[in-house]
């Protein structure tokens, strides 16, 4: 399982060591933090399309759906702000929690944040499964959000710090892989529980406890990263851990670079203030825009509301849930593609190819839905056109799953120097969660008012983000995480923000 004799550091620098079974196992266990995020994304859309759940908690939506005469717009039949608040309240809680997670991660280490996230998510799952009113549902969702805020803040950073440079992309994408498995598992659970005569929704919501237990137990047994141990003054333990994860006692060069980065980090008392300094402008802008763009691809519209969306498009109950299972399966397989190629072809190739593929699919879906439902929203898909819509959505999901899905978490987690890393990852999570909340809250209203134009709206944003990546996102493949300033310094636009001494510090023994 150990691979190679030297860890490529990019730009001509080599660290000694190999890829050890220990680091692979640690990263796989940590990546299970993505399960809770994925399970929740997948479960909420299926539950909100179940009649028993709607009748109990959202009777107005249930009545509107059941009393339809056939003349109402298909685009508007699920529009209800309390229903969308059930889905999106979680992401507002995750936004707030990510700021607390930043302080926890910096002071106590990455694994403590992951453990806290798992435990709080577990309580939220129990509360949701036992819910008897909307208030219990929303409080449960908020606890789930706190858990996700902690997990999403700490797991990508943990993976980026543990992984050797030449496998950092693949191991970090383990987080997104776990997320897609969580979505797929949730889709299967929804399909199964929808066949139950009663309380199927309770089973769907309560089973979120399973990924929470996996993550919590895994986090308890994980080692902490050398970077985190150094940051907390445990230098001897950090060196031992570095030797263990690299499989060699000769870690002087890499340990020296980590110590230098830590020395800079220790001088920073207020990382939130520091990250606003001009020399961190490239990282700050990329960290804000990538999660924003990730949400403006429209993916969570598909993943949250897949069963609702397919039901809106005229699929029967079972067919809508099975269509969501199909898109979930495509999501998993396409993420495997990303793991296999991200460290070979780099981040930019995947961003650009995925963007072009998503643009084509969104235009296709928009034209197809517009031709069938028009502006009035009256109409039904034939079997052939329904299958074509499903195929286009699957090709779109595949494009996202090997580009903006994993890279939206990978790139922001690997570009920050140690002194602002926790703050930077919190910004990444909070921006992601804020716009997930906004789009989750507005989607059913946007579908009602923008109709098929909604797909053109997201397609237009994908054009903008693809152009942005082409000009402003540098390639970070094979570059050690503590050497990233070299990449920014050599970039045609961002180079002017990086002072010479910031690069010189990491070049001292190159």
């Amino acid at each position: 399982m150990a691979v190679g004799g030297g860890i490529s550091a990019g730009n001509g620098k080599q660290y000694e060591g190999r890829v050890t079974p220990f680091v692979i196992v640690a990263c796989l266990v940590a990546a299970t933090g993505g399960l809770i995020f994925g399970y929740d994304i997948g479960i909420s859309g299926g539950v909100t399309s179940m009649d028993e759940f709607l009748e109990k908690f959202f009777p107005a939506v249930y009545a509107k759906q059941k009393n339809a005469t056939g003349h109402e717009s298909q685009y508007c039949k699920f529009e209800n702000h309390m229903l969308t608040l059930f889905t999106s309240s979680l992401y507002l809680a995750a936004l707030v929690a990510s700021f607390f997670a930043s302080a926890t991660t910096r002071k106590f280490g990455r694994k403590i944040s992951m453990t806290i996230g798992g435990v709080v998510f577990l309580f939220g799952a129990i509360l949701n499964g036992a819910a008897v009113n909307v208030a219990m549902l929303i409080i449960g969702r908020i606890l789930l959000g706190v858990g996700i805020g902690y997990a999403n803040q700490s797991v990508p950073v943990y993976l980026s710090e543990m992984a050797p440079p030449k496998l950092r992309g693949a191991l970090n994408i383990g987080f997104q892989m776990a997320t897609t498995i969580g979505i797929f598992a949730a889709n299967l659970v929804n399909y199964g529980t929808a066949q139950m005569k009663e309380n199927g929704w309770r089973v769907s919501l309560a089973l979120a406890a399973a990924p929470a237990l996996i993550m919590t137990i895994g986090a308890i047994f994980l080692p902490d990263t050398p970077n985190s141990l150094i940051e907390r003054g445990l230098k001897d333990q950090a060196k031992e851990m570095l030797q263990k994860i690299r499989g060699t006692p000769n870690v002087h060069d890499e340990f020296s670079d980590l110590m230098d980065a830590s020395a800079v980090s220790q001088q920073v008392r207020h990382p939130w203030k520091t990250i606003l300094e001009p020399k961190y402008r490239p990282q700050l802008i990329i960290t804000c825009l990538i999660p924003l763009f990730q949400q403006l691809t429209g993916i969570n519209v598909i993943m949250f509301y897949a069963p609702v969306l397919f039901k809106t498009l005229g699929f029967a109950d079972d067919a809508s849930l099975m269509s969501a299972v199909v898109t979930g399966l495509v999501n998993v397989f396409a993420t495997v593609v990303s793991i296999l190629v991200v460290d070979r072809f780099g981040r930019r190739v995947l961003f650009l190819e995925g963007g072009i593929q998503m643009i084509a699919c969104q235009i296709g879906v928009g034209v197809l839905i517009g031709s069938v439902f028009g502006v009035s929203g009256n109409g039904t898909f034939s079997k052939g056109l329904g299958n074509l819509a499903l195929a286009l959505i699957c090709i779109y999901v595949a494009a996202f799953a090997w580009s903006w899905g994993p890279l939206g978490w990978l790139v922001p987690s690997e570009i920050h120097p140690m002194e602002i890393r926790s703050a930077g990852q919190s910004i990444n999570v909070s921006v992601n969660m804020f716009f997930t909340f906004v789009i989750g809250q507005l989607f059913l209203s946007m579908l009602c008012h923008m109709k098929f134009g909604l797909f053109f709206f997201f397609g237009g944003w994908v054009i903008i983000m693809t152009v942005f990546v082409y000009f402003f996102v540098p390639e970070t493949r094979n570059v050690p995480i503590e050497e990233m300033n070299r990449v920014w310094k050599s970039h045609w636009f961002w180079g002017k923000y990086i002072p010479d001494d910031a690069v010189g510090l990491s070049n001292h023994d190159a």
Side-chain angles (χ1 to χ4, degrees), residues 448-501:
C448 182
H449 295 99
M450 294 176 72
K451 305 175 173 40
F452 61 88
L454 182 60
F455 293 91
F456 300 138
F457 169 80
F458 287 123
W461 276 107
V462 178
I463 292 172
I464 291 169
M465 65 187 75
T466 303
V467 171
F468 176 82
V469 166
Y470 183 80
F471 287 107
F472 296 106
V473 177
E475 183 55 68
T476 55
R477 176 175 64 104
N478 285 352
V479 181
I481 196 167
E482 305 301 351
E483 298 278 314
M484 206 61 73
N485 271 342
R486 295 179 179 187
V487 174
W488 299 111
K489 187 64 179 174
S490 61
H491 189 267
W492 72 273
F493 181 78
W494 301 120
K496 62 179 178 279
Y497 291 100
I498 308 298
D500 292 338
D501 62 347

Side-chain angles (χ1 to χ4, degrees), residues 210-226:
L213 279 171
I214 292 169
M215 176 189 165
T216 306
I217 294 168
I220 289 169
F221 291 102
L222 280 178
D224 227 330
T225 69

Side-chain angles (χ1 to χ4, degrees), residues 414-436:
E414 67 182 359
I415 61 175
H416 296 285
M418 189 186 289
E419 64 268 22
I420 58 165
R421 191 168 299 145
S422 289
Q425 183 62 12
S426 288
I427 290 171
N428 177 37
V429 173
S430 59
V431 172
N432 192 302
M433 294 301 145
F434 176 72
F435 285 100
T436 303

Side-chain angles (χ1 to χ4, degrees), residues 215-458:
M215 176 189 165
T216 306
I217 294 168
I220 289 169
F221 291 102
L222 280 178
D224 227 330
T225 69
N227 314 58
S228 177
L229 292 168
I230 290 172
E231 197 172 28
R232 284 146 48 214
L234 305 171
K235 294 171 187 174
D236 292 340
Q237 288 176 241
K239 190 165 188 177
E240 286 175 19
M241 181 55 62
L242 190 61
Q243 290 168 337
K244 193 170 184 180
I245 64 177
R246 298 297 180 246
T248 176
N250 302 317
V251 294
H252 173 77
D253 287 352
E254 187 172 3
F255 187 71
S256 178
D257 282 344
L258 291 178
M259 289 297 293
D260 287 343
S262 178
V264 173
S265 176
Q266 296 302 320
Q267 295 168 18
V268 174
R269 300 277 180 177
H270 306 289
W272 292 101
K273 185 177 177 182
T274 302
I275 202 170
L276 299 176
E277 293 176 8
K279 65 179 178 179
Y280 302 116
R281 193 64 41 81
Q283 293 96 327
L284 180 61
I285 291 173
I286 296 288
T287 301
C288 289
L289 287 181
I290 282 187
L292 164 61
F293 286 151
Q294 188 192 52
Q295 294 313 306
L296 288 172
T297 60
I299 187 63
N300 277 344
V301 165
I302 303 294
M303 289 305 170
F304 282 164
Y305 294 115
V308 171
L309 181 64
F310 288 124
K311 220 170 172 181
T312 297
L313 299 181
F315 287 66
D317 288 4
D318 280 0
S320 69
L321 286 167
M322 183 48 72
S323 299
V325 170
V326 171
T327 57
L329 192 59
V330 169
N331 198 13
V332 172
F333 280 114
T335 304
V336 173
V337 172
S338 183
I339 289 173
L340 295 175
V341 303
V342 69
D343 290 311
R344 178 177 295 183
F345 299 121
R347 286 63 163 149
R348 282 172 54 83
V349 168
L350 291 176
F351 266 137
L352 297 173
E353 189 284 330
I356 292 167
Q357 189 171 320
M358 283 193 288
I359 292 162
C361 291
Q362 281 164 321
I363 291 171
V365 171
V367 168
L368 191 62
I369 293 175
S371 68
V372 173
F373 294 103
V375 177
S376 68
N378 294 320
T380 52
F381 270 138
S382 66
K383 187 173 181 183
L385 287 178
N387 288 338
L388 178 59
L390 178 60
L392 284 171
I393 287 173
C394 284
I395 296 168
Y396 160 80
V397 168
F400 176 85
W402 62 53
S403 62
W404 280 92
L407 299 180
W409 293 104
L410 167 61
V411 172
S413 75
E414 67 182 359
I415 61 175
H416 296 285
M418 189 186 289
E419 64 268 22
I420 58 165
R421 191 168 299 145
S422 289
Q425 183 62 12
S426 288
I427 290 171
N428 177 37
V429 173
S430 59
V431 172
N432 192 302
M433 294 301 145
F434 176 72
F435 285 100
T436 303
F437 168 77
V438 169
I439 291 172
Q441 190 66 21
L442 296 181
F443 166 65
L444 293 176
S445 292
M446 290 169 75
L447 181 63
C448 182
H449 295 99
M450 294 176 72
K451 305 175 173 40
F452 61 88
L454 182 60
F455 293 91
F456 300 138
F457 169 80
F458 287 123

